[in-house]
Amino acid sequence: MERRRFRETIRGAGARNDVKSQVPNPKLQRRSKSQAPRRGGRRRRFIYPIDFGSAFRLNEEPNGNGRSDRPFELEERTARFGEAIVRFAKRIPRGPANDRLIDQLVGCGPSIGANYCEADERVSKKDFRCTIGRCVKEAKETKYFLRLIAAAEPKPREDARKLYCEAKELHLIFASIFRKS
């Protein structure tokens, strides 16, 4: 009843009946999912571990309600991975052969997280797909340079293997996101 009165006041007395007018929607409208209200209260804060083993351990066990309780989200995981890459690169002995490998590794490792943050603030589906594709490429490149560093330097080989496993997991995650988008 109210909408009919509202339409009549908008159209006026001499308006034609076949012309439709737009009635305002009383519901709260959001532009994207990122603006939806958050549920669950406070987020957990995590302390960055010093060793690599505990930095990349996921808790895959169900927590009673049937869903797995991940210790951190993907953005946090990529940020921790970038930090671990930088710490790892500082421990590699410098030399003419290693300098180029270190520069490439430090360039591609942390950029996985930066590209994911950019993809998370997508403008369109095409933009999201393009940026996630870059994440896939950077993760693959990181795996490659970690492999080369492990071959070039025997001393940090075990840490390189742990980082390689995490880079492989990130590559598989982003490749799956890319295929499904």
Side-chain angles (χ1 to χ4, degrees), residues 74 77-78 81 109 112 132-144 163-179:
L74 192 54
R77 184 174 177 178
T78 55
F81 179 70
I112 298 171
I132 287 293
R134 272 188 275 153
C135 291
V136 173
K137 291 176 185 177
E138 294 291 342
K140 197 170 186 179
E141 188 177 345
T142 303
K143 285 180 2 184
Y144 178 76
L163 288 171
Y164 183 87
C165 290
E166 179 66 12
K168 183 178 179 182
E169 286 181 17
L170 288 173
H171 177 251
L172 292 173
I173 289 168
F174 286 122
S176 175
I177 293 171
F178 182 77
R179 279 193 310 270

Side-chain angles (χ1 to χ4, degrees), residues 64-121:
N65 61 1
R67 295 185 321 183
S68 64
D69 186 21
R70 308 265 176 170
F72 44 83
E73 58 186 23
L74 192 54
E75 186 173 337
E76 181 69 21
R77 184 174 177 178
T78 55
R80 285 185 181 194
F81 179 70
E83 292 168 358
I85 288 286
V86 171
R87 285 193 302 269
F88 173 72
K90 286 181 179 179
R91 290 198 313 258
I92 299 172
R94 302 296 286 201
N98 290 345
D99 286 345
R100 180 71 176 157
L101 295 175
I102 293 168
D103 292 342
Q104 289 287 334
L105 180 65
V106 170
C108 63
S111 67
I112 298 171
N115 286 325
Y116 177 70
C117 290
E118 185 180 340
D120 202 28
E121 300 295 326

